[in-house]
Amino acid sequence: MKTVLAALGLGIAIISCTDSQKSDNQSEISDSTAVDSVVVLAPQKDSLSVYLPDIKASLPEAQTVVVKEDPVFFKSKSYKAIPLQVVLDKFIPAYKRLDLKQTQIVFECEDGYNPSMSLEKVLQKKSYLAISDVEAPAGQDWINPKKGDHEMKIAPFYVVYTDVPAKDVTYKWPYNLVKISLSAASKELAVLFPKDDDTQVKGFELFKVNCLTCHSLNKVGGKMGPELNYPKSITEYWQVDQIKQFVKAPTSFRNECKMPAVTHLSDKELDEIVNYLKYMAKHKVKV
């Protein structure tokens, strides 16, 4: 158990979605190598967050990059983009003083999607901040793909990789992106870890990677989808087989459902997630 708990420090940090406004709290980082809170763009060179629309005019010159397997458009795509590390170097230079293994990069999107990853993991790959679609019609920056009858908004920014396969779900490709922040491994996430039941650790890990960026548990997590544990767990009002069927084919349950079909998880893995949700139903947040 100690080993698992230690590994949790490298887990994904989840910060509740904000309105992405510039009036958030501002502060400077200390001399330590871990950051306890996310701060937004401020005049100080030590700011640990940047509101991207504000700095669009100041971005370095973009280059054309080719993404062979784009998971949003499901084909090869070309973008005008800037290496993500270059963006961090210019606008969040304080990241160089942090412990990259213990630091999360948090992406905040207008639509409520709020994924995060290990900063070290992101910088190990050829990651870019895409500012426009090369294939967009004259006078436009982006092409918005359709998902059923729903048009997806890509603007204003999109994080892409030229060396990550689309099937690797451990990498996040946030579009409709407006803000990038740096944070220490989330203290909030620790409360979701099944400390008293080792059999639920696998389900926790699967939920963290596949679900928590859109759904919250005990008010911790993404805001794009509904809260799944408070005040009632989804396992208390949905049958297990219905939960699994919905995850596999959301549009067969709801018209114009924004949730994508989850096809990469096996039935056994879905069972692990559902069992973890049942465990969390007995560990609800205390108000």
Side-chain angles (χ1 to χ4, degrees), residues 26-78:
Q26 299 176 350
S27 63
E28 297 183 357
I29 65 169
S30 65
D31 292 333
S32 65
T33 57
V35 185
D36 287 331
S37 60
V38 177
V39 293
V40 299
L41 180 64
Q44 304 99 315
K45 65 180 180 179
D46 282 347
S47 173
L48 291 175
S49 186
V50 59
Y51 184 69
L52 295 171
D54 270 0
I55 52 92
K56 185 174 183 178
S58 304
L59 286 169
E61 184 177 357
Q63 63 191 80
T64 299
V65 301
V66 178
V67 177
K68 294 182 179 179
E69 298 180 64
D70 189 290
V72 174
F73 290 87
F74 300 104
K75 63 178 182 178
S76 176
K77 290 287 293 180
S78 297

Side-chain angles (χ1 to χ4, degrees), residues 114-141:
N114 190 37
S116 60
M117 292 178 57
S118 161
L119 180 58
E120 181 183 54
K121 185 179 177 76
V122 171
L123 296 182
Q124 284 175 343
K125 296 295 185 179
K126 296 177 181 177
S127 53
Y128 294 85
L129 181 69
I131 63 172
S132 65
D133 187 333
V134 172
E135 301 167 18
Q140 298 181 30
D141 288 334

